[in-house]
Amino acid sequence: MIPLSNKVSFSAKKAVEPEFIKVCCANLYESDWIRLLLGDSFHPGGTDLTGRLGKLMDLQRHYRLLDVASGRGASALYLAGRFGCEVVGIDYSKESVSVANDLATEAGHAGSVRFEAGDAEALPFADNSFDALICECAFCTFPKKQRAAEEFARVLKPGGQIGLSDLTRTGPIPKQLANLQAWIACVADALPAKEYVAVLAGAGLELEHHETHDKVLHKLVRDIRGKLIGADLLSKLQNQDLPGIDLSEAKAMARAAETAMHNGNLGYALFVARLKTEY
């Protein structure tokens, strides 16, 4: 959620190009620093909240589940282990996909969990391929959200469910959280809860359950700020810059995010929706 990588040059022109945003997101989440800051799950609440989402969806052993923006596979492996379902993960980063497949093999899940590289807005799967789909803390980074929701609906079987967790916005956010890097960090294009519901409805996905989990976001941002302060102190003690990291900008974004949360303008929520059989 806090950008640390300078692997891609950000420019005003490129900021409006959807493909550029996707590349930036992929580069960011390949970073070892992101794993250090966010842990293995890369989203607020970790596998505890993933488990909550799976329980709300009543995942079954015979289900085929798609994990969109699966990263290094923490959620997919957890859900396969807990619920016994087959899981396919898809991520824009080929490097993350490679790591995830290696981890699945190491965990003994190579037969039930696999990962592929692909785009959430053009899923490489046939219609009616999955019983259920999850997307955690990534939907708000997709440049074409309605298109992604329509793709989710297309690959679901009639009556299939989607579980979505993401940042929510209930008011204006500070200007520090309105640029390209904040977009990539899952903040700038966070939607009000009712707009997520509207986007899903536009794809024929009818809301069944919604619940807020603002506390997990608050905890994650506090933890990130602490780690950033520690990294800043370490770099000063060693009198050297940390490679590819703009600590000043990252700390400013973390402060702005914390302020927005305290003001009630940023939160976190789960949504479960079902594909209408007549859609």
Side-chain angles (χ1 to χ4, degrees):
M1 292 172 54
I2 303 298
L4 293 178
S5 174
N6 289 331
K7 293 169 70 174
V8 180
S9 174
F10 300 101
S11 70
K13 180 180 179 180
K14 289 184 177 179
V16 300
E17 298 176 4
E19 293 305 315
F20 183 71
I21 293 173
K22 296 173 188 177
V23 170
C24 291
C25 288
N27 286 341
L28 172 64
Y29 289 100
E30 289 172 357
S31 165
D32 289 336
W33 275 96
I34 288 299
R35 188 177 180 186
L36 174 64
L37 289 179
L38 301 183
D40 291 329
S41 294
F42 287 14
H43 62 80
T47 53
D48 287 344
L49 210 58
T50 298
R52 173 63 179 164
L53 196 58
K55 185 176 180 180
L56 289 171
M57 298 171 70
D58 192 26
L59 295 181
Q60 301 293 316
R61 183 171 294 275
H62 65 276
Y63 276 17
R64 188 168 188 245
L65 171 70
L66 179 63
D67 181 1
V68 178
S70 52
R72 297 189 178 197
S75 291
L77 292 171
Y78 175 81
L79 292 171
R82 177 169 174 180
F83 297 97
C85 50
E86 177 190 353
V87 185
V88 179
I90 186 166
D91 198 89
Y92 202 76
S93 166
K94 292 181 180 180
E95 181 177 325
S96 293
V97 166
S98 178
V99 170
N101 277 317
D102 288 344
L103 291 173
T105 299
E106 292 173 10
H109 284 296
S112 59
V113 182
R114 64 181 175 85
F115 300 90
E116 299 182 16
D119 189 339
E121 297 169 2
L123 293 172
F125 305 108
D127 297 358
N128 310 324
S129 294
F130 297 92
D131 300 286
L133 179 152
I134 65 165
C135 183
E136 298 175 288
C137 204
F139 192 76
C140 65
T141 69
F142 298 158
K144 299 178 182 177
K145 295 175 179 55
Q146 191 62 59
R147 175 60 180 163
E150 291 167 358
E151 280 292 276
F152 293 176
R154 180 184 65 79
V155 302
L156 280 176
K157 297 177 182 178
Q161 284 183 306
I162 173 177
L164 181 71
S165 68
D166 225 317
L167 273 79
T168 58
R169 175 176 56 81
T170 57
I173 57 176
K175 63 180 181 180
Q176 297 96 324
L177 302 179
N179 56 27
L180 173 61
Q181 295 196 52
W183 186 320
I184 296 165
C186 306
V187 178
D189 209 39
L191 303 177
K194 65 180 181 180
E195 291 190 24
Y196 285 110
V197 174
V199 171
L200 295 176
L205 294 155
E206 188 172 39
L207 184 71
E208 290 192 329
H209 187 81
H210 164 236
E211 60 185 38
T212 58
H213 287 271
D214 295 352
K215 289 182 179 179
V216 298
L217 178 62
H218 293 195
K219 181 180 184 303
L220 181 62
V221 172
R222 286 196 302 269
D223 290 347
I224 288 174
R225 285 200 65 189
K227 291 174 182 177
L228 287 170
I229 291 170
D232 193 18
L233 177 61
L234 179 62
S235 67
K236 289 177 180 177
L237 288 174
Q238 294 181 345
N239 195 29
Q240 61 181 17
D241 293 329
L242 297 174
I245 298 170
D246 186 339
L247 283 171
S248 296
E249 183 171 7
K251 287 190 295 180
M253 282 187 58
R255 286 194 301 270
E258 196 164 25
T259 297
M261 287 186 299
H262 285 312
N263 291 338
N265 293 334
L266 280 180
Y268 202 76
L270 303 184
F271 305 85
V272 175
R274 188 180 297 274
L275 182 63
K276 297 177 184 178
T277 55
E278 71 275 12
Y279 189 79

